[in-house]
Amino acid sequence: MQAIYLNSILTLVIGMIIGLNAISLRVSFFKAVAKFPQITTSIQPPRTQPTVTIKKNNRYFDELEVRLLKAIIDPAENGIDIPNLNALLNLKKLSEENQRQRRHLFLKELNLKLFLLFGIREGITRVEFDSDKRMKRYVLDEKFEIAQLETLLNVE
């Protein structure tokens, strides 16, 4: 029985010694940190110019998008076919798969812009030619008001 009491007292004393050492170490650590000068200025990243510039004459579409939309709304053409779209986007030298992927990404981004401006989903759609179902062309959705789009494109 005495061994249990003696063991408990010894454990209590050792714990107090370890605890007091930890407290004194912590106090000395904070005293050492207090001696260092305080940093009062915040570090801010350097200011850079934006990489995207908005053209003065058209604030919604870039040059390629304007050329494509003008080609699509041209009444003489009735849309734009894939070879002409590849030529317009300067994709002729790429493989067919790469052309398809770039056309898709370009039209996806342009459709998103048209949706945000006009609220029409899939503003530019792909349709088949009447004469040959294998050939496709891109046309503007019928819901568009051509006059409103022309004013955005600054068409004279």
Side-chain angles (χ1 to χ4, degrees):
M1 191 73 152
Q2 284 182 341
I4 293 175
Y5 289 120
L6 186 60
N7 198 7
S8 298
I9 292 174
L10 191 58
T11 304
L12 181 64
V13 171
I14 292 173
M16 287 181 66
I17 292 172
I18 292 173
L20 289 175
N21 281 338
I23 290 172
S24 67
L25 285 174
R26 191 171 17 176
V27 168
S28 63
F29 172 76
F30 286 120
K31 284 182 182 177
V33 169
K35 291 180 184 177
F36 288 110
Q38 296 294 322
I39 299 174
T40 56
T41 59
S42 63
I43 300 172
Q44 295 194 6
R47 293 186 181 249
T48 59
Q49 294 294 329
T51 56
V52 177
T53 57
I54 298 175
K55 294 179 178 49
K56 293 177 183 162
N57 57 353
N58 192 322
R59 57 184 251 209
Y60 298 110
F61 304 109
D62 64 19
E63 186 179 331
L64 276 178
E65 292 168 341
V66 168
R67 288 185 4 214
L68 173 64
L69 288 171
K70 284 181 179 180
I72 287 179
I73 63 175
D74 185 13
E77 295 296 321
N78 194 18
I80 187 168
D81 59 352
I82 291 176
N84 288 334
L85 179 59
N86 286 339
L88 184 79
L89 298 177
N90 198 18
L91 302 176
K92 284 183 167 184
K93 295 179 182 175
L94 303 175
S95 68
E96 286 187 28
E97 180 61 22
N98 205 341
Q99 288 176 356
R100 186 192 63 77
Q101 289 173 350
R102 291 194 184 199
R103 273 193 320 265
H104 169 72
L105 291 175
F106 180 79
L107 290 171
K108 180 179 174 182
E109 184 178 318
L110 183 55
N111 271 330
L112 177 61
K113 283 183 183 180
L114 291 172
F115 174 68
L116 292 173
L117 290 171
F118 296 100
I120 299 172
R121 290 199 183 273
E122 296 300 318
I124 298 175
T125 56
R126 187 176 68 179
V127 295
E128 300 170 341
F129 274 98
D130 294 332
S131 59
D132 190 353
K133 301 292 183 193
R134 296 172 293 172
M135 296 185 65
K136 310 288 185 209
R137 62 188 159 106
Y138 291 95
V139 296
L140 212 56
D141 193 283
E142 304 94 31
K143 298 175 192 170
F144 271 103
E145 294 180 25
I146 302 296
Q148 190 178 15
L149 184 59
E150 285 175 340
T151 57
L152 282 179
L153 295 175
N154 296 327
V155 177
E156 280 86 32

